[in-house]
Amino acid sequence: MIAKIQVTLKKGVLDSQGKAVHHTLTDLGYNEVKDVRVGKYLEVHFKDITDVEAEALVKEMCEKLLANTVIESYRYTLASEE
Amino acid sequence: MIAKIQVTLKKGVLDSQGKAVHHTLTDLGYNEVKDVRVGKYLEVHFKDITDVEAEALVKEMCEKLLANTVIESYRYTLASEE
């Protein structure tokens, strides 16, 4: 079981890394870009557990460690190991 | 149009950040975790362009700036602005 987790800054929180990437893209001539937001992407591989167990664990891990829920939000999907 | 881009280290490339997260999760008692890989997540918002244009731009931007294709691979999906 793999959890694919996306952690992003909440709307309204200044994303300086995103601004830097946007600026660089504009410098490179990509004027079609309106905005860039940068976040984290995590893949957590689990040992043999069920979907329900994985779901509960992922939520807990995000709240405790992987995301700072004051300024970040997280989304995840569960998939079986390829 | 938004491009949602995931940049991850290629298989076999040492992911020290992932190892650190894995270690911390184990310390917190999450023994169900087998492995963790950490990557980047980017949302690029475009001005009015077509799907085809966006697709070409995203590929070019990933190759040029957003991913280091020697050690990283990228995946993306295109979605219309909410």
Side-chain angles (χ1 to χ4, degrees), chain B residues 15-58:
Chain B
D15 180 0
S16 48
Q17 206 185 344
K19 289 233 177 305
V21 172
H22 186 184
H23 190 86
T24 308
L25 285 172
T26 308
D27 281 353
L28 288 172
Y30 295 107
N31 299 309
E32 304 86 351
V33 176
K34 204 165 60 182
D35 192 24
V36 179
R37 304 284 288 175
V38 177
K40 277 176 290 183
Y41 173 70
L42 296 110
E43 282 182 1
V44 177
H45 298 252
F46 288 105
K47 291 172 192 163
D48 257 356
I49 58 172
T50 67
D51 281 34
V52 180
E53 288 169 333
E55 177 121 18
L57 281 175
V58 170

Side-chain angles (χ1 to χ4, degrees), chain A:
Chain A
M1 182 76 58
I2 312 178
K4 299 180 178 188
I5 305 165
Q6 289 158 3
V7 179
T8 49
L9 285 168
K10 287 184 180 169
K11 261 193 184 166
V13 177
L14 178 69
D15 180 359
S16 48
Q17 207 184 343
K19 288 234 178 303
V21 173
H22 186 184
H23 190 85
T24 309
L25 285 171
T26 308
D27 280 355
L28 289 171
Y30 295 107
N31 299 310
E32 304 86 349
V33 176
K34 206 165 59 181
D35 193 23
V36 179
R37 303 284 287 175
V38 177
K40 278 176 290 185
Y41 172 70
L42 295 111
E43 281 182 2
V44 178
H45 298 252
F46 287 106
K47 291 171 192 163
D48 256 356
I49 58 171
T50 66
D51 281 34
V52 180
E53 288 169 333
E55 177 121 16
L57 281 174
V58 170
K59 267 191 198 162
E60 216 183 277
M61 292 183 333
C62 284
E63 298 281 340
K64 266 199 198 165
L65 178 73
L66 305 179
N68 172 355
T69 53
V70 178
I71 54 166
E72 293 173 327
S73 53
Y74 60 89
R75 266 169 301 164
Y76 60 87
T77 54
L78 295 172
S80 48
E81 203 92 28
E82 288 109 42

